[in-house]
Amino acid sequence: MTKNIEQTTQIEKTKNYYDGIASGYKNLYHEEQILKLNYVKDLFPETGKCLDAGCGDGVLNQFVNSDVELFSFDLSSELLNLNSNVSTRKFQGSLTDLSIFENNKFDFISSFSVIQDIPDFKKVLFELKRVLKNEGTLFLSFVKFSSKKEKLLEIINSEFKIIEQFEEIKDLIFVLKFK
């Protein structure tokens, strides 16, 4: 029970942090996110459904084709308010619970520099896997200096086939498919 309370407290702290910096998020992280997305932008499908898991202020919006049905999901309601996704497909919540989405819904999922901030990252990876179509692609990055790096790599290697891997200044970036 204590572990759940600690995780809930950590998620709330993270939410409060991103809500608090939302107005300056673009100055803090926008260019960094663009650099990461440039590694994989040519691999994004031209059509289909995409989940931007941990969407922030919506930097991915400028990278996906207009024929892609984009779903923006973030812990921070303040960042969602700044997100330029003009559709009604914006959702606030923790990536540990994607129960609003049915199994096998998305053709691709993008989640950049989010997973290392989530206490139960295993649950997040399994939720992302659950909502990704069997032939879908997961674009994932995490901070390469994270204390969770080895455990994340272990799960990635056991659950996914690595199609491509990139290393940039702060992050490891993966293009993943189901094994």
Side-chain angles (χ1 to χ4, degrees):
M1 191 67 142
T2 304
K3 186 176 180 180
N4 287 340
I5 293 170
E6 288 174 18
Q7 288 177 352
T8 301
T9 301
Q10 184 60 43
I11 288 169
E12 190 62 30
K13 284 181 183 177
T14 302
K15 180 189 180 314
N16 290 339
Y17 170 76
Y18 283 102
D19 281 348
I21 67 159
S23 63
Y25 184 87
K26 191 170 206 135
N27 290 334
L28 290 169
Y29 297 114
H30 199 82
E31 289 302 316
E32 182 181 316
Q33 295 296 73
I34 286 174
L35 290 173
K36 289 176 221 171
L37 286 163
N38 275 322
Y39 281 94
V40 297
K41 68 181 180 184
D42 294 333
L43 301 172
F44 291 152
E46 295 292 318
T47 61
K49 292 180 181 170
C50 171
L51 174 63
D52 189 3
C55 62
D57 66 349
V59 70
L60 180 69
N61 303 353
Q62 66 190 358
F63 286 88
V64 294
N65 187 303
S66 61
D67 291 332
V68 169
E69 191 176 346
L70 180 62
F71 293 75
S72 300
F73 192 97
D74 203 276
L75 183 61
S76 169
S77 54
E78 296 299 318
L79 283 173
L80 278 172
N81 289 337
L82 298 173
N83 190 305
S84 61
N85 181 349
V86 294
S87 79
T88 57
R89 296 181 302 267
K90 295 198 281 191
F91 303 91
Q92 190 272 327
S94 171
L95 291 174
T96 58
D97 180 9
L98 297 175
S99 60
I100 60 170
F101 303 119
E102 65 267 14
N103 294 350
N104 307 310
K105 180 174 182 74
F106 297 103
D107 298 288
F108 68 109
I109 297 173
S110 173
S111 186
F112 283 84
S113 302
V114 175
I115 199 158
Q116 75 280 338
D117 293 334
I118 301 172
D120 194 352
F121 60 86
K122 291 178 188 176
K123 189 171 184 179
V124 174
L125 282 170
F126 288 108
E127 275 291 272
L128 294 175
K129 190 173 177 182
R130 181 186 63 77
V131 300
L132 185 64
K133 290 182 179 178
N134 289 337
E135 307 80 30
T137 304
L138 173 60
F139 299 92
L140 178 76
S141 84
F142 61 86
V143 176
K144 66 183 176 183
F145 303 111
S146 169
S147 62
K148 300 174 184 176
K149 176 183 174 181
E150 294 309 314
K151 289 185 180 185
L152 283 164
L153 289 172
E154 183 181 313
I155 294 170
I156 287 169
N157 283 307
S158 70
E159 298 294 324
F160 298 95
K161 178 180 175 187
I162 298 173
I163 305 302
E164 292 203 49
Q165 181 178 341
F166 307 95
E167 184 171 341
E168 63 96 45
I169 296 169
K170 293 182 182 178
D171 282 54
L172 295 176
I173 303 165
F174 297 90
V175 179
L176 306 169
K177 296 268 193 187
F178 285 122
K179 280 193 166 182

